[in-house]
Amino acid sequence: MATIDLNGVGKTYPGGVQAVRGADLRIGHGEFVVLVGPSGCGKSTLLRMIAGLETITAGTLAIDGSVVNDVPPQDRDIAMVFQNYALYPHMDVRTNMAFGLLRRRKFASRLRALLSPAYASGRTHERAEIDRRVLQAARVLGIEHLLQRKPAALSGGQRQRVAVGRAMVREPKVFLFDEPLSNLDAKLRVEMRAELRMLHRRLGATMIYVTHDQEEAMSLGDRVVVLKDGLIQQAATPRQVYDRPANRFVAEFVGTPTMNMVEGTLEARGTGMVFRGQGIVIEGRVDAWRSLIEPRPRPVVLGIRPEHVQIGGGTGLQATVEAVEHYGDRMDVQLRCGDRSVTARCLPQPLQEGGMVNLTVDLARTHLFEPGNAGLRLGE
Amino acid sequence: MSRPDLARPAKGHSGAVGGHVTRAVGWSVLLLGTLVMVFPLLWMASVSLLTPDLAQAATVSGDLKRLVPTDPQWQNFPAALARMGAAREPWKGFLDALANSVVVTSLVVVGTVLSSSLVGFAMARMRFRGRNGLFLLMLATMMLPGQVTMIPMFLMFRNLGWVDTILPLVVPAFFGNAFFIFMYRQFIAQVPEALVEAAKVDGWGWLGVWWHVILPLCRPVTAICAVFTFIYVWNDFMGPLIYLQSDEQATLAVALNSFRNQYGGVNNVNLLMAASLVTMLPCILLFLAAQKQFIEGLGKGAVKG
């Protein structure tokens, strides 16, 4: 277990491209942190900087309090699982897993082993310890029967387990995962996700995991770090990221279907307030938004999660059903409301495409953002 | 109900015959080419098994019928090898030359493989200032004919006191060969970067990554490098002739030349061919043994390089 501190960490490539900008993050002992974001957001670069595979051009990175900016990967006591597993094709599974533990068996020590029987016995003991660790990891991952096979003779899922096993036997301070499930089919991915979560609980190790799949991030991480254009947008628990997104980007990135964003204005009405925008009018009362009320209507962006759009029951908003997607236990409905389309997620119910329905939106369950690109959350 | 295959026209009798003819012509050309290439080897093997008279007759007359050894003279081989070299004792000259050739060739092969793969690895995977410039400079050395550097190198080795030792033949091999460095670099550039990174994260330094991960993966290129180097060094005449002056240091190529000078007349052509055949036998055997890797390696080099 280890702590990791990133203080203003940045990466600028020789051409001037900034992949990561001023990343500040503290990862605690045994924490499972997931870096998530769209392609090119800098999440893999950040992970590779922690691994020592990319140089850090700004800020400091500390593992257990020691700055490791200039420490090569082999001296950082970390293990990494790569997207394509990076198993050594010429070694069998056993050697692949033991490879990281064999690194100190240099020629000089072998020579000493030849000359000193006590030393040789120590080495034999060490070899036995390596075998024990490999077997233990193989047992945990259910790959004992594959130890003699070469990577080419393994399926995608088996390779993924070997790659995890290779990291496990090292018993490193930090585990790094670079999209390790992205090459697996959907069913296996869900299974492996659960196994990784259990593995983290069992080992209690500090783990950093990179993915572009927000569902994976939400299901795995103790904390989720959302990145965009090399900047950390929000670092919080999955619940917080979902319920209180820091800005419009996070709100739209996390959650399926995407949050509905309606541009409009907010103004006072009686003891409450009213939102008007793009043909949609919602009245309600949110105490946290009181300070936002201005004498003139204030431009804002209202975010509504699809599951918070209720079909039927109210009379406030009328909408036309444009499309219905059935998923068995739930359904997503595409609606035309005012000048824009809105997505609703609800329990299965009989709806006709082209028919009219009433919508209800509870203003207290919506999110308010500043207009513009940054789109910071309002009303905290 | 089966549907007729409309896309493919039915092959008529004339089409099948045409295909056979084309194939027969192709095979004939290949066979002819093979015969032209193999004939000198067969001629050498055949003459080495003839009596002196028959060998002389076959050589002078050019009568191909006389080339078939009806009574193979196997004793030609020990007779030729026993007389090789300047030593008084029979066999000593041959055995000395064989030992020298084995030592020089082995060291050069090992040196070339290790140094070329190491430099190729650095050129392909290590990022450092001036890497591309150095690579181009190294490639430029391939354009220089060996004769240009022959005299400066001889003077350098003479000043080092290495003349009449195997050092001038062996030591340069440990500093890489431009062509093989190029081949290794192109091959290693195709090895996934993640393997190198995984090994580094696993705790290995650059040398460890090269030895444990890269070198085993480069087996096809190593096979080409080893076989080409072996054949070149085993048959090299000029290098040993320049640097090895005493008879005890001579390699097989030099010893064979001495043998030719001594017994090169038509009277002893059977012995000369027997000695020549023995000299080139390791190259043929090595090629046959490494044939699969060799062809595979050439193919890979072509595709990946």
Side-chain angles (χ1 to χ4, degrees), chain B residues 247-260:
Chain B
D247 291 326
E248 294 77 34
Q249 298 283 0
T251 59
L252 271 179
V254 176
L256 186 67
N257 184 54
S258 307
F259 186 87
R260 189 183 63 86

Side-chain angles (χ1 to χ4, degrees), chain B residues 85-100:
Chain B
R88 298 269 169 95
E89 296 168 51
W91 288 94
K92 188 172 185 311
F94 168 71
L95 292 175
D96 279 350
L98 180 67
N100 291 336

Side-chain angles (χ1 to χ4, degrees), chain A residues 48 51 53-54 73-75 78-80 82 84-91 96 99-104 106 166 170, chain B residues 127 191-209 211-219:
Chain A
R48 290 168 59 79
L53 298 171
E54 293 281 355
Q74 59 265 34
D75 297 330
I78 44 154
M80 186 159 167
F82 291 80
N84 58 1
Y85 318 129
L87 300 178
Y88 311 114
H90 56 292
M91 298 179 193
N96 257 290
F99 190 58
L101 299 172
L102 298 169
R103 68 191 187 281
R104 301 202 191 285
K106 301 265 171 65
R166 186 171 69 182
R170 296 263 316 280
Chain B
R127 289 176 210 155
V191 172
E193 177 82 31
L195 285 182
V196 176
E197 291 177 345
K200 284 168 79 179
V201 170
D202 267 344
W204 295 88
W206 284 110
L207 276 176
V209 176
W211 181 254
H212 290 285
V213 179
I214 296 297
L215 206 51
L217 291 178
C218 286
R219 219 161 52 176

Side-chain angles (χ1 to χ4, degrees), chain B residues 67-130:
Chain B
L67 276 175
V68 182
T70 47
D71 178 22
Q73 304 294 305
W74 297 106
Q75 69 277 13
N76 284 350
F77 289 94
L81 300 181
R83 292 186 210 180
M84 236 173 157
R88 298 269 169 95
E89 296 168 51
W91 288 94
K92 188 172 185 311
F94 168 71
L95 292 175
D96 279 350
L98 180 67
N100 291 336
S101 279
V102 166
V103 169
V104 169
T105 308
S106 308
L107 288 173
V108 171
V109 167
V110 170
T112 306
V113 166
L114 293 182
S115 58
S116 301
S117 59
L118 189 60
V119 179
F121 174 50
M123 292 284 186
R125 286 283 175 239
M126 290 179 86
R127 289 176 210 155
F128 54 90
R129 199 180 288 273

Side-chain angles (χ1 to χ4, degrees), chain A residues 146-193:
Chain A
L146 305 173
L147 288 174
Q148 313 301 328
R149 287 204 205 161
K150 292 272 176 70
L154 303 176
S155 69
Q158 289 168 336
R159 283 180 206 187
Q160 207 274 338
R161 280 165 211 266
V162 174
V164 173
R166 186 171 69 182
M168 274 172 68
V169 295
R170 296 263 316 280
E171 296 176 7
K173 281 184 185 172
V174 184
F175 284 81
L176 306 176
F177 296 89
D178 189 4
E179 306 205 32
L181 307 185
S182 60
N183 289 342
L184 304 180
D185 62 57
K187 185 170 174 285
L188 196 55
R189 206 181 307 159
V190 173
E191 281 174 24
M192 288 308 297
R193 218 189 271 172

